[in-house]
Amino acid sequence: MTRWSWRMSVLAGAVAVLTLAGGGGAAAYWSAQAQVEATAAAASTGLVQTVQSTPLTVTYSSSLRVAAGAVTVQNTGSRGAAYSLSLSAASATSAGLPGAITVAAAVVASAAACTTTATLSGAQTGTASSFTATGTVAAGASVVVCLQTSMTAADVTTYGGASASLSVRTGLEYAAADAWRVSGAAVTFTQQVAQSQFVPDGTAMTCNDNNGWNLDLWFTEATPTSGISYRFFLARESTPTTRVAYSPATDPNPWWTAVQVAPGNASLQSYLSSANGAMGNTWLFVERSTAGSGGPWTQIAYGKFRTATLAEGLRTWCGWQ
């Protein structure tokens, strides 16, 4: 073999080695890439949500202050995912009401286990203003989340007559990218608060309205004696605890207990034009002190009358309409 021939043989062997090494490296890269692409292509996402909105559609009252409904999150995808359950207020007739509705959520064994008396182990809590609970769900599996909402007795009184429209929706995230996120449609329901029943202290007053020109509301003094003082307040029917002081034209005394309400009375006119006064159904409250004008005071009677403006001017009648 000549020197030239020997060199060519060495070069050919070297080329063959380099080609194999390059080919092997290229094949290994392709195989790994193909495996990733094949896995992505084979993966799927999917969500089925079921919201028991009917038991969450509730009217809170002094005797009903908790509601509960199950939310089922089914992962129909081919890999595990993180779930989210969000509750928010779409609207409210009183701005503070959503924040007064406490929310608790926890996974339970079944929808039947989600009741108003269920103890939610490891519950995530917040308010209906904006609430989100999170967890995980395996591929092809479901989780049942019990959603409890509640109000305190004090807040039921504060927000009597108000209502809020609340929305629930769930979502799944398979990876940190939009293509790997799915969400269900929002399910909306309404929660209301019953108007609190106001029960006044004392006894009901009798009334004579003199055909609307003026009226006398009478209360009973159990033990007429000197040294007794009285004071009087007016309030709208809807806000009996927000009161305005009232001065009748003639002060009642333990032996003559009529409280006069006349259309021309300056104190009545002042009440009607005040921020806490209004035409229409009105409360009259009587407070009593046996220790002079310094009190202490005890409410002993209440009356009801109404005002309206006719062609002849302001008129007052016994009772409400």
Side-chain angles (χ1 to χ4, degrees):
M1 179 181 293
T2 64
R3 182 185 295 274
W4 182 85
S5 298
W6 178 83
R7 288 179 176 176
M8 290 301 293
S9 297
V10 172
L11 287 170
V15 170
V17 171
L18 290 173
T19 301
L20 287 171
Y29 172 79
W30 178 86
S31 295
Q33 189 72 6
Q35 186 176 5
V36 170
E37 291 176 354
T39 301
S44 62
T45 64
L47 164 67
V48 176
Q49 72 172 22
T50 305
V51 179
Q52 289 184 335
S53 59
T54 299
L56 289 168
T57 304
V58 68
T59 298
Y60 295 107
S61 67
S62 59
S63 60
L64 195 163
R65 296 191 287 109
V66 183
V71 180
T72 303
V73 183
Q74 182 181 1
N75 178 7
T76 60
S78 60
R79 59 169 65 176
Y83 74 79
S84 61
L85 185 158
S86 300
L87 184 146
S88 60
S91 63
T93 59
S94 176
L97 176 58
I101 300 173
T102 299
V103 182
V107 174
V108 292
S110 66
C114 182
T115 66
T116 57
T117 57
T119 300
L120 301 184
S121 178
Q124 300 175 61
T125 60
T127 72
S129 295
S130 181
F131 171 80
T132 301
T134 59
T136 59
V137 56
S142 299
V143 292
V144 180
V145 181
C146 184
L147 191 64
Q148 287 181 346
T149 62
S150 62
M151 293 187 70
T152 65
D155 283 337
V156 167
T157 299
T158 299
Y159 294 101
S163 64
S165 176
L166 307 179
S167 292
V168 172
R169 71 187 309 167
T170 64
L172 293 177
E173 182 178 275
Y174 296 85
D178 288 343
W180 292 99
R181 298 187 183 102
V182 292
S183 60
V187 176
T188 302
F189 57 92
T190 299
Q191 293 197 335
Q192 300 176 316
V193 186
Q195 186 69 54
S196 299
Q197 183 67 37
F198 175 71
V199 180
D201 293 332
T203 57
M205 304 171 75
T206 59
C207 185
N208 178 9
D209 62 21
N210 301 306
N211 296 318
W213 292 102
N214 59 73
L215 57 84
D216 296 320
L217 285 155
W218 295 81
F219 63 95
T220 300
E221 175 54 63
T223 55
T225 183
S226 59
I228 295 176
S229 298
Y230 302 105
R231 64 182 186 181
F232 312 95
F233 297 90
L234 302 180
R236 286 182 284 185
E237 175 191 5
S238 60
T239 55
T241 59
T242 304
R243 303 178 180 184
V244 177
Y246 173 69
S247 298
T250 302
D251 289 332
N253 61 64
W255 296 273
W256 191 80
T257 58
V259 182
Q260 296 177 331
V261 181
N265 182 283
S267 189
L268 176 63
Q269 297 285 345
S270 178
Y271 160 78
L272 293 174
S273 62
S274 71
N276 295 318
M279 298 285 286
N281 293 343
T282 306
W283 290 99
L284 169 67
F285 299 106
V286 181
E287 294 185 357
R288 175 182 186 268
S289 170
T290 58
S293 59
W297 296 92
T298 302
Q299 183 172 306
I300 62 167
Y302 63 90
K304 298 178 179 181
F305 70 94
R306 66 186 186 277
T307 58
T309 301
L310 304 182
E312 299 86 355
L314 179 65
R315 293 292 178 263
T316 57
W317 289 276
C318 296
W320 289 350
Q321 282 188 333

